[in-house]
Amino acid sequence: MNASARSILAYCRPGFESECAQELAARDAELATAGFARSQRDSGFVEFVFPDPAARARFAASVRWQDLVFARQLLQVGARIDGLPREDRLGLLMPAIRATGRRHRDAWIEAPDNDAARELAGLCRSLNNALIAAMKRESLIDAESPTRLHVCLIDAQTAFVAEADIARSSGWPGGIPRLRFPSAAPSRSTLKLEEALLTLLDAGERERWLKPGMSAVDLGASPGGWTWQLVRRSISVTAVDNGPMDQGLIDSGLVTHLRADGFRYQPQDPVDWMVCDMVEQPRKVAARMAEWLADGWCRFAIFNLKLPMKKRYDEVCLCRTLVQETVSAAGKRVEWRARQLYHDREEITVFARIP
């Protein structure tokens, strides 16, 4: 058996391999699956290796991509192939695919999100077309299969052959939803909230929880990138910021601009949503968000936590605990979902609600 057949591949933001490895190790410790991480800084991925396939299967059955902060995608590796010949890469890939003994609903050839691998985009596209054709010829594509084949090109000669359970994995190649910047939006930060709503909520939740006529508060709103996402869904927004707001948003009739400090503002009546992208120490932001949730000022919250340069995973854990303990002291519990989005940088985005 290929030694890689007992590992999991996690894509992440380049530079955050350590945090991704720490998070996987924490889950591994909870499950006692005795794995260890292999990673290289700025590679954009972590390989987490288990002592045997049974340990990996136990981990894969218990840990979903949706539950992780720093992993964009989780894949079960079948083989690592080195020395792919330029003239016939499929000649080495296809035997490894056949060896799995499985048929797949689809197949993606992709590269990690790092500077060197981005140069492989053209190769991934052309090779993907050839792979699909070859798999169809051998009846290895099955529209009813619960799995998707992934070939991750580390470089032009090296690949991981892996698979994902479609129901428990990201539905975007590389784990990255490619969003187009809407020209009417006042800032590119709008893409962060759009991605958060797309990845932290499922389709049913978006339909139920983002309805026209709802109310929201945007703390630190200027110039209105996050407010714009709410207004386009016909949600009324109180935009709290001492800075100016985009005039188009004001003219929509759905925005009330209050020149006030987001850390002091308190709504007169509870609102459906509170969103916040203020630049401040993460624990200070987390404490303020916990106050909003514990006091019932909002039903749903999405906020960003700007992470420090060191001990970033530890800071995430501390902020989560702070919010949970504050809400618990009010006799409530909080649902917490967090992810480092593609459009985030040195930060994570959190969705929280009181069930």
Side-chain angles (χ1 to χ4, degrees):
M1 175 179 292
N2 189 300
S4 295
R6 51 188 174 87
S7 69
I8 279 178
L9 193 67
Y11 296 147
C12 64
R13 185 179 186 85
F16 281 78
E17 295 80 13
S18 175
E19 289 74 19
C20 184
Q22 283 180 277
E23 187 171 28
L24 292 172
R27 295 302 183 97
D28 173 70
E30 293 170 1
L31 296 167
T33 42
F36 67 92
R38 288 199 291 233
S39 65
Q40 182 177 345
R41 183 168 177 80
D42 295 325
S43 66
F45 70 91
V46 174
E47 185 184 12
F48 204 82
V49 185
F50 299 89
D52 53 61
R56 184 184 72 172
R58 191 161 73 253
F59 185 93
S62 302
V63 180
R64 306 181 308 158
W65 155 80
Q66 294 95 323
D67 300 327
L68 298 172
V69 178
F70 293 101
R72 293 174 174 173
Q73 182 68 282
L74 279 185
L75 308 173
Q76 295 191 55
V77 176
R80 174 179 167 134
I81 302 176
D82 297 286
L84 287 171
R86 179 175 181 177
E87 301 77 15
D88 185 19
R89 293 183 175 91
L90 287 185
L92 283 185
L93 289 174
M94 287 303 296
I97 294 168
R98 292 188 205 105
T100 66
R102 299 170 69 95
R103 297 193 295 170
H104 301 280
R105 191 182 308 180
D106 199 0
W108 292 352
I109 295 186
E110 53 201 1
D113 181 32
N114 62 55
D115 291 337
R118 288 189 195 105
E119 299 177 5
L120 299 173
L123 173 60
C124 288
R125 285 193 296 271
S126 61
L127 194 55
N128 211 147
N129 293 334
L131 175 64
I132 291 288
M135 291 179 67
K136 286 182 176 178
R137 283 195 299 270
E138 299 190 25
S139 299
L140 294 175
I141 296 291
D142 177 2
E144 302 301 319
S145 173
T147 64
R148 180 176 53 239
L149 178 75
H150 289 252
V151 176
C152 177
L153 291 181
I154 305 305
D155 54 49
Q157 289 79 43
T158 311
F160 285 102
V161 177
E163 67 176 47
D165 179 339
I166 292 173
R168 299 169 64 86
S169 63
S170 171
W172 300 279
I176 300 171
R178 301 293 180 175
L179 305 178
R180 180 174 297 179
F181 174 64
S183 59
S187 70
R188 293 196 65 83
S189 70
T190 195
L191 295 174
K192 286 192 282 188
L193 185 54
E194 182 177 1
E195 185 182 354
L197 294 172
L198 189 62
T199 61
L200 294 174
L201 306 182
D202 64 31
E205 290 168 341
R206 288 192 295 274
E207 183 177 356
R208 295 193 304 275
W209 298 343
L210 289 163
K211 291 184 177 180
M214 283 185 165
S215 57
V217 170
D218 184 353
L219 300 178
S222 177
W226 284 33
T227 293
W228 189 88
Q229 287 292 334
L230 299 169
V231 166
R232 71 186 285 256
R233 293 169 170 83
S234 299
I235 295 173
S236 299
V237 182
T238 299
V240 180
D241 200 303
N242 284 312
M245 289 294 292
D246 176 76
Q247 189 59 44
L249 288 172
I250 301 298
D251 294 342
S252 72
L254 291 172
V255 177
T256 300
H257 181 200
L258 294 182
R259 293 185 178 272
D261 183 348
F263 283 101
R264 292 190 174 91
Y265 171 77
Q266 177 179 333
Q268 292 183 347
D269 298 298
V271 296
D272 296 298
W273 281 90
M274 180 269 290
V275 299
C276 174
D277 190 24
M278 292 190 291
V279 179
E280 188 50 88
Q281 294 293 322
R283 270 175 263 186
K284 182 176 179 180
V285 173
R288 183 60 172 163
M289 301 301 99
E291 185 178 14
W292 271 74
L293 292 161
D295 290 349
W297 296 345
C298 64
R299 295 171 57 203
F300 311 104
I302 291 182
F303 53 93
N304 270 3
L305 298 175
K306 318 294 182 182
L307 301 180
M309 293 303 296
K310 297 181 179 180
K311 296 185 176 181
R312 295 180 291 200
Y313 176 71
D314 292 342
E315 189 69 23
V316 170
C317 294
L318 286 169
C319 288
R320 181 178 60 215
T321 299
L322 187 158
V323 171
Q324 290 171 336
E325 290 181 347
T326 301
V327 171
S328 179
K332 304 174 183 179
R333 66 181 183 88
V334 64
E335 180 181 357
W336 167 287
R337 308 175 192 174
R339 180 157 301 121
Q340 185 175 39
L341 305 174
Y342 174 72
H343 292 95
D344 285 338
R345 292 185 182 275
E346 304 289 322
E347 61 195 344
I348 66 166
T349 301
V350 180
F351 166 78
R353 73 180 183 106
I354 305 298

